[in-house]
Amino acid sequence: MAGRIPQHFIDDLLARINIVDVIDGRVKLKRAGKNYSGLCPFHKEKSPSFSVSPDKQFYYCFGCGAGGNALGFLMEYDRLNFPEAVEELAKLAGIDVPREEGRNQDPQREQQLKRQFEALEQASSFFQQQLRQSSERERAVNYLKQRGLSGQIAAAFEIGYAPPGWDNLLTHFNAVDNATELLEQSGMVIHNEEKDSHYDRFRDRIMFPIRDVRGRVLGFGGRVLGDEKPKYLNSPETPTFHKGRELYGLYEARKHSNQLDRLLIVEGYMDVVSLAQHGIHWSVATLGTATTAQHLERLFKLVPEVIFCFDGDQAGRTAALRALHTTLPVIKDGQEARFLFLPDGEDPDTLVRKEGETAFGQRVTQALPLSEFFFKSLTEEADLSSMDGRARFSNTALPLIQSMQPGLLKQMMMDRICEITGLSLEQLSSVIDLHQVTQPNNPPPAAVEQYTPAPPRYEEPSGPDSYSTAAPRRKQQSRHLVNQAISILLHQPNLAAQAPKSAEFTLVDEPNISVLIHLLEYLQDTPGSSLGTLLVDWQDDEARRADLMLLNEISHLDPVLGDTNAAHLLQETLNRILARRQEALMDQLLKKSRQSPLTEEEKQTLRQLVLNQHS
C-alpha cells in the first residue's frame, strides 16, 4: 500500500476518533472528573497515574511520562509503526486510508523491506526445524543441555541451529524468487567476489533470533559449539538491523510480562536465556556494542529502573564507566540506574546456574545506585586530602554532572561535590569553565548548562507545574517558561504566527529551548499546520523524533486557565525567555571581567545590559 498518507486525512481521523474509546478497549478506565484514569499499561504501578483527557484528546502518565494522542497510544501499546496505527484507527472509524505520492516515500523500498522481514522469519523457522530434525542436531541439543537450558526455554526464545555446510540456507530458499540477492541484503549469505559465488554466513552454530518490540526477526546471533573463533557471530548492519538500537530479549521480556518495573542489561544472548531459565525474565543484552543513549531512552520509556551488569575485573570496570557516561545525560528524576559487579570469573549465565534465582536476585538488589558508583569511581584515584587533588576531582566531576538534565538528582550530586571540596557552587563555577572541560576519550555533553547563581529577574507562579525542586531557582523557572510556551503552542498552534521568529531564540541557553525553536520554526513555516501534521512530518524525520518524545511529555500541561488570554500569555512567556539571553550574556561578561580585561565593545555591551536590567 504505497504512498504517503495525506496530512488532512490524519487531522480528520483524529477529530473523528474518541481517544477514550481507543484506550478503554485496552486499559480499564474510570471517570475522574472531566477526565478518565486507570493503571498505566507502560509501567508497573498499584495506584492509577494514567490519565486520559477527552477534551484535549491526549493521554498522559504522571508516573512514567508516557503521553500522546490516539495514534501515539496505538504505536506504543500495540507496537505498530505510524502507517499501521493510522490503518488501525481508520478501521475503527470505518473508513479507508487514502494514499498520495510524496517525498520520503519509496514503494519499491517498502516492498523490499517487507520481503526481507519475511525471509528472516523463514530463516528462523528453518533454524528451529534443524534443531529438531537435522542429522547434526545431537551435538547442538547436547550443547544446550550442558548449558542447563530446557526445551521449553529454547522454544520460548525460538532458538535454532545452523548445521554445517556452505549452502543449507541457500538450498532451503531455492524456490524463492531472487533468493540469493534477498538473503545477501538480509545479511544471511556472503558474496565471494573472487569466485563470484555465495555461501551461508552462519554454519554449525546455535542461532538466536533477534526481534524488535513487535516480534519481527531483524537478524541473528550465532554461537559456536566449541572454542572456535569468533565465539559469537552477529548479523551485519542491514536495512532491518541496527545494533545500536536493538536489544536481545526485550521482546521476550515484554511478552512474558506487560508490567515490567526493571530491566537488567547483560552482555550475551546466553546470559539472557539462562536467566530466564531460572525465573529472571527481565534481562536484555546489547548486540556486541556498548549500551547507547538510544538503548537507554528506549528502556526508560518502558521501566523506571535499569541495572547494568558487569564482570568484576578491570575490563568490567572500564565498561561500567562508559555506561555511566552514557547514562548521565539521559536519566531523569523518577528514573534509576544501578551498577552490578559480579565476582571475578563469573558471568550471569554461570552465576545464576550456580546459586539460583533468589541469591542472584539478592545481588541485584545490592547493586550500586548511579550516584554512589559515580562518586566511588571518581574518588578512588583522587587525593581528596590535598587542594590539588580536590581541584582535579572537581574538574572531572562537574562537567559530567552538568551534562545531566535538570532535576533533584543533579542538584543533590552538585551538593555532594560542594561537601567534598568545601566550596560553594558559585566558587566552583567562577573558576571552572563547564562549557570547555570534558573528559579524555569522551565527547563533550550534547547540552551543558551554564550554572548562574544570580537571582532571577522575574517571579513565576508556584504550583505543580512550576517544577519547584532544590535545583537553582533560575533554571527551574526557565524550564517552566520554555515548557509553558511549548504547551501553549501545542494547544493553539495558530498563535505561532504572532510570536517572535524562531531565529531570535538561537542564542538562548535553556533546557528544551531547541525543541521550542523547532516547534516555532515548523508552525511559522507551515501556516495552517496542526499537531496532526506535525506528527506526520516529524515522524518521518529522524532528527525530530526525539523532539516528539519531549512534546508528548509536555503536552499534558494546560497553561491556559479560566479566562486567561492565551495569546497574551504566550507573548509574555516568550519575552521572558528572550530576557534570559540578556541575563546570560551579562553573567558571562561579568565572569570574564574577573579574569581578564574586557574590550571596549564588551564594556559598552555590559553597560547597556546593566541599564536595561534596572530600567
PDB file of all heavy atoms in Angstrom, residues 355-370:
ATOM      1  N   GLU A 355      24.073 -20.400  41.805  1.00  0.00           N
ATOM      2  CA  GLU A 355      23.439 -20.003  43.056  1.00  0.00           C
ATOM      3  C   GLU A 355      21.933 -19.829  42.988  1.00  0.00           C
ATOM      4  O   GLU A 355      21.288 -19.621  44.014  1.00  0.00           O
ATOM      5  CB  GLU A 355      24.083 -18.726  43.588  1.00  0.00           C
ATOM      6  CG  GLU A 355      23.954 -17.514  42.680  1.00  0.00           C
ATOM      7  CD  GLU A 355      24.703 -16.306  43.229  1.00  0.00           C
ATOM      8  OE1 GLU A 355      25.679 -16.513  43.982  1.00  0.00           O
ATOM      9  OE2 GLU A 355      24.315 -15.175  42.905  1.00  0.00           O
ATOM     10  N   GLY A 356      21.339 -19.861  41.784  1.00  0.00           N
ATOM     11  CA  GLY A 356      19.892 -19.823  41.671  1.00  0.00           C
ATOM     12  C   GLY A 356      19.305 -18.421  41.650  1.00  0.00           C
ATOM     13  O   GLY A 356      19.994 -17.416  41.839  1.00  0.00           O
ATOM     14  N   GLU A 357      17.984 -18.390  41.430  1.00  0.00           N
ATOM     15  CA  GLU A 357      17.276 -17.123  41.245  1.00  0.00           C
ATOM     16  C   GLU A 357      17.313 -16.240  42.481  1.00  0.00           C
ATOM     17  O   GLU A 357      17.569 -15.033  42.395  1.00  0.00           O
ATOM     18  CB  GLU A 357      15.815 -17.394  40.862  1.00  0.00           C
ATOM     19  CG  GLU A 357      14.967 -16.139  40.767  1.00  0.00           C
ATOM     20  CD  GLU A 357      13.489 -16.442  40.575  1.00  0.00           C
ATOM     21  OE1 GLU A 357      13.121 -17.630  40.499  1.00  0.00           O
ATOM     22  OE2 GLU A 357      12.702 -15.478  40.499  1.00  0.00           O
ATOM     23  N   THR A 358      17.058 -16.811  43.669  1.00  0.00           N
ATOM     24  CA  THR A 358      16.951 -15.996  44.883  1.00  0.00           C
ATOM     25  C   THR A 358      18.248 -15.286  45.199  1.00  0.00           C
ATOM     26  O   THR A 358      18.281 -14.074  45.458  1.00  0.00           O
ATOM     27  CB  THR A 358      16.514 -16.858  46.073  1.00  0.00           C
ATOM     28  OG1 THR A 358      15.265 -17.495  45.771  1.00  0.00           O
ATOM     29  CG2 THR A 358      16.375 -16.022  47.328  1.00  0.00           C
ATOM     30  N   ALA A 359      19.368 -16.038  45.175  1.00  0.00           N
ATOM     31  CA  ALA A 359      20.663 -15.444  45.502  1.00  0.00           C
ATOM     32  C   ALA A 359      21.078 -14.419  44.462  1.00  0.00           C
ATOM     33  O   ALA A 359      21.609 -13.349  44.798  1.00  0.00           O
ATOM     34  CB  ALA A 359      21.727 -16.539  45.628  1.00  0.00           C
ATOM     35  N   PHE A 360      20.825 -14.723  43.186  1.00  0.00           N
ATOM     36  CA  PHE A 360      21.185 -13.760  42.147  1.00  0.00           C
ATOM     37  C   PHE A 360      20.326 -12.510  42.274  1.00  0.00           C
ATOM     38  O   PHE A 360      20.822 -11.388  42.127  1.00  0.00           O
ATOM     39  CB  PHE A 360      21.010 -14.382  40.764  1.00  0.00           C
ATOM     40  CG  PHE A 360      21.574 -13.542  39.653  1.00  0.00           C
ATOM     41  CD1 PHE A 360      22.885 -13.709  39.238  1.00  0.00           C
ATOM     42  CD2 PHE A 360      20.802 -12.580  39.021  1.00  0.00           C
ATOM     43  CE1 PHE A 360      23.418 -12.930  38.220  1.00  0.00           C
ATOM     44  CE2 PHE A 360      21.311 -11.795  37.999  1.00  0.00           C
ATOM     45  CZ  PHE A 360      22.629 -11.975  37.597  1.00  0.00           C
ATOM     46  N   GLY A 361      19.042 -12.690  42.558  1.00  0.00           N
ATOM     47  CA  GLY A 361      18.158 -11.540  42.740  1.00  0.00           C
ATOM     48  C   GLY A 361      18.598 -10.668  43.898  1.00  0.00           C
ATOM     49  O   GLY A 361      18.466  -9.435  43.857  1.00  0.00           O
ATOM     50  N   GLN A 362      19.151 -11.313  44.952  1.00  0.00           N
ATOM     51  CA  GLN A 362      19.652 -10.547  46.088  1.00  0.00           C
ATOM     52  C   GLN A 362      20.842  -9.685  45.679  1.00  0.00           C
ATOM     53  O   GLN A 362      20.990  -8.544  46.133  1.00  0.00           O
ATOM     54  CB  GLN A 362      20.051 -11.494  47.222  1.00  0.00           C
ATOM     55  CG  GLN A 362      20.498 -10.810  48.502  1.00  0.00           C
ATOM     56  CD  GLN A 362      19.413  -9.961  49.127  1.00  0.00           C
ATOM     57  OE1 GLN A 362      18.226 -10.257  48.996  1.00  0.00           O
ATOM     58  NE2 GLN A 362      19.807  -8.889  49.796  1.00  0.00           N
ATOM     59  N   ARG A 363      21.684 -10.215  44.807  1.00  0.00           N
ATOM     60  CA  ARG A 363      22.810  -9.412  44.298  1.00  0.00           C
ATOM     61  C   ARG A 363      22.295  -8.173  43.561  1.00  0.00           C
ATOM     62  O   ARG A 363      22.851  -7.088  43.707  1.00  0.00           O
ATOM     63  CB  ARG A 363      23.667 -10.247  43.345  1.00  0.00           C
ATOM     64  CG  ARG A 363      24.491 -11.336  44.004  1.00  0.00           C
ATOM     65  CD  ARG A 363      25.350 -12.046  42.967  1.00  0.00           C
ATOM     66  NE  ARG A 363      26.125 -13.121  43.549  1.00  0.00           N
ATOM     67  CZ  ARG A 363      27.313 -12.957  44.130  1.00  0.00           C
ATOM     68  NH1 ARG A 363      27.846 -11.739  44.174  1.00  0.00           N
ATOM     69  NH2 ARG A 363      27.957 -13.975  44.647  1.00  0.00           N
ATOM     70  N   VAL A 364      21.242  -8.362  42.785  1.00  0.00           N
ATOM     71  CA  VAL A 364      20.686  -7.248  42.021  1.00  0.00           C
ATOM     72  C   VAL A 364      20.200  -6.143  42.954  1.00  0.00           C
ATOM     73  O   VAL A 364      20.410  -4.952  42.706  1.00  0.00           O
ATOM     74  CB  VAL A 364      19.550  -7.730  41.101  1.00  0.00           C
ATOM     75  CG1 VAL A 364      18.861  -6.543  40.421  1.00  0.00           C
ATOM     76  CG2 VAL A 364      20.091  -8.688  40.035  1.00  0.00           C
ATOM     77  N   THR A 365      19.554  -6.530  44.047  1.00  0.00           N
ATOM     78  CA  THR A 365      19.033  -5.520  44.985  1.00  0.00           C
ATOM     79  C   THR A 365      20.159  -4.742  45.653  1.00  0.00           C
ATOM     80  O   THR A 365      19.935  -3.632  46.155  1.00  0.00           O
ATOM     81  CB  THR A 365      18.170  -6.179  46.073  1.00  0.00           C
ATOM     82  OG1 THR A 365      18.970  -7.100  46.841  1.00  0.00           O
ATOM     83  CG2 THR A 365      16.994  -6.926  45.461  1.00  0.00           C
ATOM     84  N   GLN A 366      21.369  -5.301  45.676  1.00  0.00           N
ATOM     85  CA  GLN A 366      22.504  -4.635  46.306  1.00  0.00           C
ATOM     86  C   GLN A 366      23.370  -3.867  45.297  1.00  0.00           C
ATOM     87  O   GLN A 366      24.435  -3.355  45.657  1.00  0.00           O
ATOM     88  CB  GLN A 366      23.368  -5.670  47.032  1.00  0.00           C
ATOM     89  CG  GLN A 366      22.634  -6.366  48.178  1.00  0.00           C
ATOM     90  CD  GLN A 366      23.408  -7.528  48.766  1.00  0.00           C
ATOM     91  OE1 GLN A 366      24.458  -7.917  48.249  1.00  0.00           O
ATOM     92  NE2 GLN A 366      22.894  -8.099  49.840  1.00  0.00           N
ATOM     93  N   ALA A 367      22.915  -3.777  44.058  1.00  0.00           N
ATOM     94  CA  ALA A 367      23.673  -3.046  43.037  1.00  0.00           C
ATOM     95  C   ALA A 367      23.813  -1.576  43.431  1.00  0.00           C
ATOM     96  O   ALA A 367      22.925  -0.996  44.066  1.00  0.00           O
ATOM     97  CB  ALA A 367      22.975  -3.172  41.680  1.00  0.00           C
ATOM     98  N   LEU A 368      24.929  -0.965  43.041  1.00  0.00           N
ATOM     99  CA  LEU A 368      25.219   0.416  43.421  1.00  0.00           C
ATOM    100  C   LEU A 368      24.344   1.404  42.660  1.00  0.00           C
ATOM    101  O   LEU A 368      24.267   1.336  41.423  1.00  0.00           O
ATOM    102  CB  LEU A 368      26.691   0.743  43.137  1.00  0.00           C
ATOM    103  CG  LEU A 368      27.753  -0.001  43.946  1.00  0.00           C
ATOM    104  CD1 LEU A 368      29.142   0.369  43.442  1.00  0.00           C
ATOM    105  CD2 LEU A 368      27.632   0.307  45.423  1.00  0.00           C
ATOM    106  N   PRO A 369      23.695   2.333  43.348  1.00  0.00           N
ATOM    107  CA  PRO A 369      22.980   3.403  42.636  1.00  0.00           C
ATOM    108  C   PRO A 369      23.954   4.240  41.813  1.00  0.00           C
ATOM    109  O   PRO A 369      25.157   4.298  42.117  1.00  0.00           O
ATOM    110  CB  PRO A 369      22.361   4.233  43.771  1.00  0.00           C
ATOM    111  CG  PRO A 369      22.336   3.328  44.952  1.00  0.00           C
ATOM    112  CD  PRO A 369      23.533   2.428  44.811  1.00  0.00           C
ATOM    113  N   LEU A 370      23.447   4.878  40.791  1.00  0.00           N
ATOM    114  CA  LEU A 370      24.295   5.669  39.894  1.00  0.00           C
ATOM    115  C   LEU A 370      25.140   6.679  40.651  1.00  0.00           C
ATOM    116  O   LEU A 370      26.347   6.789  40.411  1.00  0.00           O
ATOM    117  CB  LEU A 370      23.423   6.374  38.858  1.00  0.00           C
ATOM    118  CG  LEU A 370      24.132   7.316  37.873  1.00  0.00           C
ATOM    119  CD1 LEU A 370      23.501   7.228  36.486  1.00  0.00           C
ATOM    120  CD2 LEU A 370      24.069   8.775  38.342  1.00  0.00           C
TER     121      LEU A 370
END
